[in-house]
DNA sequence: ACAAACTCTATAAACTTAGTAGAGTATTGC
DNA sequence: GCAATACTCTACTAAGTTTATAGAGTTTGT
């Protein structure tokens, strides 16, 4: 399962993209609008800033804003930032690779092969899910309704 | 991430399928061969028994054995049994459905839509990953090597 | 100077995971 | 019938993670 952190981060990013033309957005506003505990959100936005997705301005008129284009920020990266690996087994991750202690032969492990395929599909799908794509999806879902 | 329970369950099931012709298999043998803590494995096999995948025999000559065909047992079911939902968001699961507290409108949520697609792909892939399929994969990987 | 607003550190409750201990129950072989 | 074998059940626990909260600190604009 996605952590609350990752989920909140995604909501905040979509919010920031939607209000990109309004200058810096207050943490308190995002927290209110998206129903996220403010103090918790502060830490999340800070992480996104350290990761180079957002920037902030202090003092009056301050707030957070996107510094990447909405089509350059994808859910795979967000998920990795907050929840670590996307794969369901440590032996099929790239960045977080870890051998399974109980594994006899990784190269011929059928379970590994299965979860490698799942991982690849998921990563591909999440990479194509950019903020821009999510907003477009929401527009299209709204029209149908 | 997959829990150890689910991983161990998969290893045990593959083991049982491979030795299906030898009658009941001892917990201790599976634990030794697959490098799984025995006491932990006992609980896992019991769960699989309650779920109707395995049966057991007590006393001398006893042990566990498959009562479903290897092509009828898939990793989606195993994962659901031990780890709950396969989906990454509670709002896109069928059996474990839960509304996201912070969600404004589920029907038009772009994040939900993304993770619904991921879920569907993953479930499909894991359903096709039966024990029989995993063993066949291992055979084919061994030959390549 | 002062208020606004982000930043940083510390702490904690609740929950989950992974595993252990030990007594209990059923079955087989002799 | 009895001893050995092997699964079953209940209870417990250590460690780690998640989801926060509290409060002091720092920077900026006017």
């Amino acid at each position: 399962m996605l952590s609350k952190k990752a989920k909140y981060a995604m909501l905040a990013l979509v919010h920031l993209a939607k209000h990109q033309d309004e200058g810096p957005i207050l943490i308190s506003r995002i927290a209110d609008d998206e129903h996220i505990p403010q103090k918790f959100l502060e830490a999340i936005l800070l992480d996104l800033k350290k990761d180079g997705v957002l920037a902030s301005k202090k003092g009056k008129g301050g707030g957070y804003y996107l510094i990447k284009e909405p089509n350059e920020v994808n859910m795979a990266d967000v998920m990795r930032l907050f929840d670590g690996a996307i794969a369901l087994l440590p032996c099929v991750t790239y960045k977080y690779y870890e051998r399974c202690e109980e594994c006899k032969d990784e190269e011929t492990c059928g379970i590994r092969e299965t979860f490698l395929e799942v991982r690849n599909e998921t990563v591909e799908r999440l990479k194509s899910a950019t903020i821009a794509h999510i907003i477009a999806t929401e527009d299209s879902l709204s029209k149908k309704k």
Side-chain angles (χ1 to χ4, degrees), chain A:
Chain A
M1 282 274 174
L2 215 61
S3 69
K4 292 270 188 183
K5 265 195 175 176
K7 177 93 188 289
Y8 292 161
M10 292 174 189
L11 287 169
L13 287 168
V14 169
H15 183 103
L16 286 169
K18 280 183 179 167
H19 300 88
Q20 230 179 345
D21 53 337
E22 299 171 30
I25 309 289
L26 294 181
I27 298 178
S28 57
R29 184 177 160 197
I30 305 174
D32 280 358
D33 284 9
E34 305 296 335
H35 307 117
I36 302 170
Q38 177 164 345
K39 274 302 204 175
F40 199 38
L41 181 59
E42 286 177 11
I44 293 166
L45 295 178
L46 222 42
D47 285 343
L48 287 167
K49 182 184 173 182
K50 278 178 201 149
D51 198 53
V53 179
L54 302 179
S56 62
K57 232 184 117 180
K58 285 183 180 177
K60 195 164 191 175
Y64 274 96
Y65 52 95
L66 275 172
I67 50 173
K68 283 195 179 176
E69 292 301 314
N71 64 15
E72 287 173 342
V73 185
N74 67 69
M75 296 309 108
D77 291 340
V78 175
M79 199 174 154
R80 285 207 184 94
L81 181 62
F82 291 100
D83 295 352
I86 289 168
L88 293 169
L89 288 180
C91 62
V92 295
T93 65
Y94 176 64
K95 284 186 66 173
Y96 302 89
Y97 173 81
E98 220 171 298
R99 199 175 158 284
C100 296
E101 311 135 41
E102 72 279 0
C103 188
K104 289 177 209 163
D105 180 9
E106 201 169 88
E107 284 177 60
T108 61
C109 176
I111 296 170
R112 178 172 184 274
E113 186 66 20
T114 297
F115 284 91
L116 180 59
E117 287 167 12
V118 169
R119 183 209 94 110
N120 289 341
E121 271 183 357
T122 302
V123 167
E124 207 171 323
R125 180 71 70 169
L126 290 180
K127 269 193 179 172
S128 75
T130 62
I131 299 178
H133 183 264
I134 285 174
I135 292 175
T137 301
E138 297 195 342
D139 287 347
S140 128
L141 286 173
S142 295
K143 273 174 198 162
K144 271 190 205 164
K145 205 178 157 184

